[in-house]
């Protein structure tokens, strides 16, 4: 490469670099909005005041067609104060936010929103306690 | 010229740095020196002690005696220990060696006399301070001093340490159907007969029960603390006459291993005043079940007067008993 062409080459590279830094869209929470349209829940858990799971192992069923989650809590669980957690498909988010103390004596509804924020599916989570 | 600047500037900088960092209080020529280390890391709670290591050494004459003056008179047991400690090189175990005698405490002043002065030119003595009830919520500080045979004296003033407002009680044994009624106000355990005879029913905050299983499906239950309001879990218990059905808030924890309640070395987690004062009980249960060793529960009395942490030291399924320790604070 001739010496005179070197600055030109550098300028070109800089221009390519700048163009490649296009601003990615983000939502109000600062989370990346992607092109993914998948929208489903993959895992659900409920923690007690001692930050240990209160769910009976193997009893949690997530129905991605009926959009329901059913689970069984251990005998004696104080359902007025439990903390839900879930996993969702890549890039999707959940509304309202999980991970806060919640009263689960009644069924709760959570909406899974796809990565492209175009698809919304509302799940009904019902937890019964062993009697 | 440039070479000279390159040489002079770093030297000058180093000299200035050293001059700036010098501690003016240290007299390198002093022949009698002392230093202080607070060994205890946890809160100063009545019922436990604060440990200091007071070091003193002389290059001139012999060490004579040491003295510690607390700004608030300590409880029983306050004073110097006659022993210094060294680490055995072969085993790594700390071993005591007596270096002082006549360890006396009069009021707020503790003294000790150094022995075997010919070989004990430098010693590190332990000073134990037991916070007293009168000191609760106040700041305490200490002035340590020592003298040598040449008549010189050296002293060091400690910072101020806040004495906790908490009360602590260790090793309360609960037994299902017997000593099962706990009062946080009294920090004591009573039997049904004691509650009735002494009219203590209004002071009872929770009841201890042990049921291996419970419910129609025989679900695991174990050792439990249950508030008088919970009729489900106390339906087979003959409660003391007049026991009000108060709803004590009970919030189970499995990861709060308080070192003082545990009363063993190797743990440095402590519940302090602020933890009890700021613990909230939103939608807390009126029971905690399945309690095991090292677990516990934050508890708030129905009237909100007392907040406590109840720690489980031991459980015994055969004798249907549980040993607990409590840290409690009065909020109102």
């Amino acid at each position: 490469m001739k010496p005179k062409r070197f600055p030109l080459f550098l300028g070109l590279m800089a221009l390519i670099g700048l163009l490649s830094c296009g601003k990615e869209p983000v939502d109000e929470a600062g989370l990346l909005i992607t092109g993914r349209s998948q929208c489903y829940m993959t895992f659900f858990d409920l923690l007690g005041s001692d930050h240990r799971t209160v769910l009976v192992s193997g009893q949690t069923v997530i129905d991605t067609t009926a959009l329901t989650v059913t689970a069984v809590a251990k005998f004696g669980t104080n359902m007025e104060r439990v903390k839900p957690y879930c996993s969702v498909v890549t890039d999707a988010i959940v509304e309202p936010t999980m991970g806060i103390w919640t009263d689960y004596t009644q069924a709760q509804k959570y909406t899974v929103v796809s990565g492209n924020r175009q698809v919304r599916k509302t799940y009904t989570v019902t937890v019964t306690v062993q009697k | 010229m440039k070479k000279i600047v390159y040489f002079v500037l770093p030297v000058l900088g180093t000299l200035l740095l050293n001059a700036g960092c010098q501690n003016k209080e240290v007299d390198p020529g002093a022949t009698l020196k002392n230093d202080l280390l607070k060994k205890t890391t946890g809160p100063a709670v009545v019922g436990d002690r604060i440990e200091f290591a007071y070091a003193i050494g002389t290059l001139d004459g012999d060490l004579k005696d040491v003295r510690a003056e607390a700004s608030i008179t300590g409880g029983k047991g306050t004073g110097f220990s006659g022993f210094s400690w060294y680490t055995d090189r072969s085993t790594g175990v700390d071993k005591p060696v007596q270096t002082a005698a006549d360890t006396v405490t009069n009021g707020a002043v503790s003294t000790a006399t150094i022995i075997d002065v010919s070989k004990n030119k430098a010693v590190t003595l332990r000073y134990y301070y037991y916070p007293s009830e009168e000191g609760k919520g106040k700041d305490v500080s200490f002035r340590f001093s020592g003298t040598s045979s040449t008549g010189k004296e050296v002293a060091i003033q400690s910072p101020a340490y806040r004495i906790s407002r908490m009360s602590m009680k260790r090793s309360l044994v609960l037994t299902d159907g017997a000593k099962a009624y706990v009062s946080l106000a009294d920090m004591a355990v009573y039997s049904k007969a004691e509650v009735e005879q002494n009219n203590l029913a209004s002071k009872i905050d929770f009841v201890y029960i042990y049921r291996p299983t419970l419910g129609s499906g025989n679900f695991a239950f174990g050792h439990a603390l249950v508030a008088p309001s919970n009729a489900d879990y106390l339906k087979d218990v003959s409660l003391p006459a007049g026991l009000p059905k108060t709803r004590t808030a009970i919030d189970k924890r499995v990861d709060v291993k308080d070192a003082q309640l545990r009363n063993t070395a190797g743990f440095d987690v402590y519940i302090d005043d602020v933890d009890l004062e700021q613990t909230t009980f939103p939608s807390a249960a009126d029971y905690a079940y399945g309690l095991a060793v090292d677990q516990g529960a934050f508890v708030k009395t129905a009237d909100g007067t007392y907040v406590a942490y109840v720690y489980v030291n031991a459980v015994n399924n055969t004798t249907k008993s549980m040993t607990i320790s409590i840290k409690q604070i009065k909020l109102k």
Side-chain angles (χ1 to χ4, degrees):
Chain A
M1 191 180 290
K2 290 181 178 177
K4 282 181 182 177
R5 289 182 184 171
F6 186 65
L8 189 68
F9 174 73
L10 277 181
L12 196 65
M13 292 302 288
L15 190 66
I16 292 169
L18 280 172
L19 288 174
S20 66
C21 294
K23 202 176 180 184
E24 293 286 350
V26 291
D27 62 14
E28 313 82 62
L31 298 172
L32 198 65
I33 296 172
T34 67
R36 292 178 188 273
S37 60
Q38 293 98 324
C39 183
Y40 54 88
M41 193 182 290
T42 56
F43 170 80
F44 179 79
D45 197 7
L46 211 55
L47 306 186
S49 71
D50 54 3
H51 296 274
R52 298 290 187 272
T53 185
V54 300
L55 297 184
V56 178
S57 178
Q59 299 282 306
T60 304
V61 178
I62 301 173
D63 189 329
T64 53
T65 308
L67 301 181
T68 59
V69 178
T70 53
V72 179
K74 292 171 188 167
F75 174 80
T77 301
N78 173 30
M79 295 304 291
E80 289 181 23
R81 188 168 187 250
V82 283
K83 193 182 278 187
Y85 283 98
C86 77
S87 298
V88 289
V89 67
T90 308
D91 295 344
I93 59 168
V94 180
E95 296 173 351
T97 308
M98 287 195 172
I100 54 174
W101 297 112
T102 310
D103 184 347
Y104 260 81
T105 51
Q106 303 293 323
Q108 297 290 328
K109 288 185 185 295
Y110 293 94
T111 301
V112 181
V113 185
S114 64
N116 63 9
R117 306 295 189 266
Q118 302 297 310
V119 186
R120 300 173 66 87
K121 290 184 178 174
T122 301
Y123 283 72
T124 303
V125 183
T126 310
V127 183
T128 52
V129 187
Q130 289 179 328
K131 296 281 183 190
Chain B
M1 182 61 189
K2 268 187 182 176
K3 279 184 181 175
I4 294 170
V5 170
Y6 286 140
F7 176 74
V8 169
L9 277 180
V11 173
L12 198 64
T14 310
L15 286 173
L16 285 170
L17 197 66
N18 283 337
C21 293
Q22 270 179 7
N23 190 340
K24 302 290 189 293
E25 292 174 7
V26 174
D27 177 6
T31 53
L32 181 63
K33 291 184 185 180
N34 67 354
D35 206 350
L36 181 67
L37 177 73
K38 179 171 176 278
K39 293 199 69 173
T40 305
T41 54
V45 183
V46 176
D48 205 359
R49 68 188 188 188
I50 316 175
E51 181 180 348
F52 292 92
Y54 178 57
I56 184 166
T58 184
L59 293 170
D60 184 15
D62 301 317
L63 292 176
K64 196 175 165 192
D65 52 32
V66 290
R67 184 176 187 272
E69 185 172 3
S71 60
I72 300 172
T73 303
K76 189 182 174 191
T78 295
F80 281 101
S81 159
F83 296 90
S84 299
W85 293 77
Y86 73 97
T87 305
D88 188 298
R89 287 187 180 184
S90 56
T91 62
V93 176
D94 286 349
K95 289 187 173 177
V97 54
Q98 188 168 9
T99 52
D102 303 329
T103 52
V104 178
T105 298
N106 269 325
V109 178
S110 302
T111 53
T113 306
I114 307 298
I115 59 170
D116 297 335
V117 289
S118 59
K119 59 180 182 182
N120 288 330
K121 299 289 186 187
V123 297
T124 301
L125 289 170
R126 297 296 188 273
Y127 170 76
Y128 303 115
Y129 178 78
Y130 286 80
S132 57
E133 285 287 338
E134 68 179 88
K136 273 187 174 180
K138 298 176 186 167
D139 287 343
V140 62
S141 61
F142 305 88
R143 183 182 186 274
F144 288 86
S145 60
T147 56
S148 68
S149 59
T150 58
K152 286 182 179 172
E153 189 191 27
V154 71
I156 191 166
Q157 178 70 37
S158 81
Y161 306 103
R162 175 61 53 91
I163 298 176
S164 167
R165 290 203 304 114
M166 292 184 292
S167 298
M168 184 170 71
K169 202 72 173 272
R170 291 194 187 111
S171 301
L172 296 167
V173 180
L174 311 177
T175 310
D176 186 16
K179 289 265 190 183
Y181 300 91
V182 181
S183 165
L184 289 183
D186 294 353
M187 300 278 276
V189 186
Y190 301 106
S191 66
K192 182 188 174 191
E194 287 169 336
V195 172
E196 290 174 340
Q197 285 163 14
N198 301 307
N199 289 323
L200 299 170
S202 62
K203 283 186 168 183
I204 301 305
D205 298 300
F206 57 84
V207 185
Y208 164 72
I209 60 169
Y210 172 72
R211 307 282 181 273
T213 59
L214 216 62
S216 56
N218 287 329
F219 301 111
F221 193 75
H223 302 267
L225 309 177
V226 185
S229 61
N230 192 311
D232 283 347
Y233 297 153
L234 295 177
K235 60 187 172 189
D236 62 346
V237 179
S238 173
L239 296 169
L243 189 72
K245 308 294 182 197
T246 49
R247 193 181 197 286
T248 308
I250 303 174
D251 217 16
K252 187 184 173 187
R253 291 286 190 278
V254 298
D255 48 7
V256 185
K257 297 172 186 174
D258 183 276
Q260 288 172 314
L261 297 177
R262 203 170 192 271
N263 204 16
T264 50
F267 276 78
D268 54 0
V269 173
Y270 300 98
I271 290 173
D272 212 332
D273 294 26
V274 69
D275 300 309
L276 296 181
E277 286 166 353
Q278 295 188 0
T279 298
T280 55
F281 294 80
S283 307
D286 57 358
Y287 59 91
Y289 71 103
L291 288 164
V293 173
D294 277 345
Q295 299 183 355
F298 282 100
V299 180
K300 189 173 193 174
T301 56
D303 60 3
T305 305
Y306 295 97
V307 172
Y309 185 70
V310 178
Y311 177 81
V312 179
N313 296 100
V315 292
N316 190 321
N317 298 355
T318 310
T319 59
K320 297 182 177 183
S321 63
M322 183 162 87
T323 305
I324 61 169
S325 297
I326 302 175
K327 272 184 177 177
Q328 167 253 64
I329 200 164
K330 190 174 184 183
L331 295 183
K332 294 179 183 175

